[in-house]
Amino acid sequence: MLQNLGPLIRTLRTNKGISLNAFAEKLDVSPGYLSNLETGKTDTIQLSLLEKLQNELYVLPLNADTSDELESRLNHALEQLRELEKLNPDAAQYLLNTFERGLELLLKN
């Protein structure tokens, strides 16, 4: 499992533009440990770290059923959108409007 998890963590982290050092600090692990995890050089991971990774990157599907996974991801995104709305209501509205317009365009094709 960790052999597949590590590269996924690295890909998701870099796609978000987060440096290894910054992400390690956020997860409260050493940069060396995170690097080893991403490259598959470690075969141990604490459940608490896995939970943090799930919260930050959504690395594991919560259910094997695709519709349940979609619902879980949408719920996670909704939580984040609500948090953003508290911090920056205009940005939250912009993202929601963009998402809705994108869906409408894609469903027309």
Side-chain angles (χ1 to χ4, degrees), residues 31-49:
Y33 174 79
L34 183 57
S35 176
N36 286 341
L37 182 63
E38 290 183 348
T39 58
K41 293 178 183 171
T42 187
D43 58 358
T44 61
I45 185 168
Q46 291 183 346
L47 187 55
S48 59
L49 176 57

Side-chain angles (χ1 to χ4, degrees), residues 4-103:
N4 297 330
L5 182 61
L8 177 61
I9 292 168
R10 176 171 279 168
T11 299
L12 294 172
R13 174 183 60 76
T14 56
N15 285 347
K16 284 186 149 196
I18 306 170
S19 74
L20 179 85
N21 289 337
F23 197 51
E25 185 176 329
K26 186 170 192 164
L27 296 174
D28 199 27
V29 298
S30 73
Y33 174 79
L34 183 57
S35 176
N36 286 341
L37 182 63
E38 290 183 348
T39 58
K41 293 178 183 171
T42 187
D43 58 358
T44 61
I45 185 168
Q46 291 183 346
L47 187 55
S48 59
L49 176 57
L50 194 56
E51 186 177 346
K52 288 177 186 178
L53 288 166
Q54 181 69 5
N55 290 336
E56 293 296 325
L57 300 176
Y58 193 77
V59 293
L60 303 171
L62 297 178
N63 215 316
D65 186 348
T66 306
S67 63
D68 287 344
E69 181 181 348
L70 177 61
E71 185 174 344
S72 295
R73 291 179 70 186
L74 287 171
N75 286 335
H76 181 71
L78 180 58
E79 289 172 21
Q80 291 180 312
L81 187 61
R82 285 185 175 141
E83 192 63 33
L84 178 60
E85 187 175 35
K86 292 176 191 173
L87 301 171
N88 188 337
D90 291 337
Q93 267 315 142
Y94 171 78
L95 284 174
L96 185 56
N97 289 338
T98 302
F99 176 75
E100 290 172 334
R101 278 183 267 147
L103 278 177

